[in-house]
């Protein structure tokens, strides 16, 4: 015999449908809230702070150089007018090359130096006096008979680091072939009379590290001065005028 539907079962089924409907509404609301949190109000991806910083990658191969831009840029510094058109001299030494550029406002001194270079006076000479934090001195050639030249001090004569000046005796106008390269601001360190005594006629434009190596080489004492004679003297193998 067929049994009529029970009233309690109908109520239970209706309650279940209401429960499922409520669960569905809640699920839709939660999904919407989640999407809003991820997308943000503008619809763009929300910013998420990284949970950890990745470790740097160690590169063990040989890097490939990036292509250079075809756009040329203007020099960042202006050309020093004292050196426009200045003659350049290459000193090939036993520890590396030094390139000098002559000033254009010291014609007597630069002409003398260039002439001595062209005569080979400096070839085979050594840096015979070296004092760290002061200067390196070279150009002594006992077999050369070099005439003295007048001083050219002028108003812009500064013994700055890596400038080259003529060595001389305590007498005025006594420079011949010997020169020195400053490794400090000696016009400041040694008083104003230093700049008014030694003619600065050029500067080192390449090979500053070579000058530093010579200046900091081991030295010993001699009969005239303490700790200025190189234990292993650096030789000027060849001095030449270059384009």
């Amino acid at each position: 015999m067929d049994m009529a539907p029970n009233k309690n079962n109908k109520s239970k089924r209706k309650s279940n449908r209401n429960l499922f409907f409520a669960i569905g509404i809640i699920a839709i609301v939660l999904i919407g809230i989640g999407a809003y949190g991820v997308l943000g109000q503008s619809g763009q991806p929300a910013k998420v702070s990284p949970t950890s910083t990745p470790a740097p990658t160690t590169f063990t191969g040989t890097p490939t150089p990036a292509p250079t831009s075809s756009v040329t840029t203007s020099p960042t510094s202006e050309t020093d007018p004292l050196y426009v058109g200045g003659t350049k001299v290459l000193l090939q030494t036993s520890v590396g090359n030094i390139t000098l550029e002559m000033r254009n406002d010291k014609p007597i001194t630069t002409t003398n130096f260039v002439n001595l270079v062209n005569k080979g006076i400096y070839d085979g000479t050594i840096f015979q006096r070296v004092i760290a934090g002061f200067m390196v001195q070279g150009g002594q050639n006992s077999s050369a008979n070099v005439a003295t030249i007048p001083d050219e001090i002028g108003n812009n004569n500064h013994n700055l680091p890596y400038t080259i000046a003529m060595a001389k005796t305590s007498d005025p106008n006594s420079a011949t072939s010997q020169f020195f390269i400053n490794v400090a601001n000696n016009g400041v360190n040694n008083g104003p009379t230093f700049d008014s005594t030694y003619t600065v006629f050029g500067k080192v434009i390449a090979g500053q590290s070579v000058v530093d190596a010579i200046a900091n080489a081991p030295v010993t004492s001699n009969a005239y001065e303490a700790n200025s004679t190189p234990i292993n003297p650096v030789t000027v193998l060849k001095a030449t005028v270059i384009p």
Side-chain angles (χ1 to χ4, degrees), residues 24-59:
I25 294 298
I26 293 171
I28 292 172
V29 171
L30 291 176
I31 292 172
I33 293 173
Y36 180 83
V38 173
L39 295 177
Q41 293 182 354
S42 62
Q44 298 297 320
K47 295 180 181 179
V48 179
S49 300
T51 56
S52 61
T53 303
T57 301
T58 302
F59 187 80

Side-chain angles (χ1 to χ4, degrees), residues 207-223:
Q208 288 92 341
S209 60
V210 177
V211 175
D212 291 339
I214 299 171
N216 293 287
V219 291
T220 187
S221 299
N222 55 44

Side-chain angles (χ1 to χ4, degrees), residues 62-81:
T62 302
T64 301
T68 57
S69 172
S70 59
V71 178
T72 57
T73 57
S74 301
T76 56
S77 60
E78 295 181 359
T79 302
D80 189 335

Side-chain angles (χ1 to χ4, degrees), residues 8-27:
N8 291 334
N9 290 337
K10 289 182 180 180
S11 298
K12 186 180 293 185
R13 285 195 296 270
K14 184 177 180 180
S15 297
N16 290 339
R17 285 197 299 269
N18 291 339
L19 178 61
F20 293 150
F21 178 76
I23 292 173
I25 294 298
I26 293 171

Side-chain angles (χ1 to χ4, degrees), residues 18-209:
N18 291 339
L19 178 61
F20 293 150
F21 178 76
I23 292 173
I25 294 298
I26 293 171
I28 292 172
V29 171
L30 291 176
I31 292 172
I33 293 173
Y36 180 83
V38 173
L39 295 177
Q41 293 182 354
S42 62
Q44 298 297 320
K47 295 180 181 179
V48 179
S49 300
T51 56
S52 61
T53 303
T57 301
T58 302
F59 187 80
T60 57
T62 302
T64 301
T68 57
S69 172
S70 59
V71 178
T72 57
T73 57
S74 301
T76 56
S77 60
E78 295 181 359
T79 302
D80 189 335
L82 295 177
Y83 291 89
V84 173
T87 302
K88 296 181 179 63
V89 172
L90 174 65
L91 302 181
Q92 296 172 273
T93 82
S94 54
V95 295
N97 293 344
I98 302 170
T99 304
L100 306 169
E101 186 172 29
M102 307 292 102
R103 287 174 59 153
N104 55 32
D105 63 335
K106 305 292 178 77
I108 297 173
T109 311
T110 55
T111 298
N112 176 70
F113 186 77
V114 169
N115 286 342
L116 295 177
V117 168
N118 287 331
K119 290 178 181 179
I121 296 297
Y122 296 118
D123 298 351
T125 60
I126 64 171
F127 285 92
Q128 76 273 6
R129 185 168 177 250
V130 172
I131 302 175
F134 179 37
M135 56 91 233
V136 299
Q137 183 173 336
Q140 184 180 46
N141 190 327
S142 57
S143 63
N145 184 16
V146 181
T148 59
I149 59 173
D151 299 331
E152 286 184 294
I153 302 301
N155 296 323
N156 192 3
N157 193 78
H158 303 296
N159 284 268
L160 299 171
Y162 304 113
T163 56
I164 181 172
M166 292 302 296
K168 52 183 285 190
T169 69
S170 57
D171 296 330
N173 308 315
S174 58
T176 55
S177 65
Q178 293 192 47
F179 62 87
F180 63 92
I181 300 175
N182 294 284
V183 295
N185 189 343
N186 289 316
V188 172
N189 295 349
N190 294 283
T193 58
F194 199 92
D195 282 344
S196 62
T197 301
Y198 300 101
T199 300
V200 177
F201 64 97
K203 64 181 178 180
V204 177
I205 59 173
Q208 288 92 341
S209 60

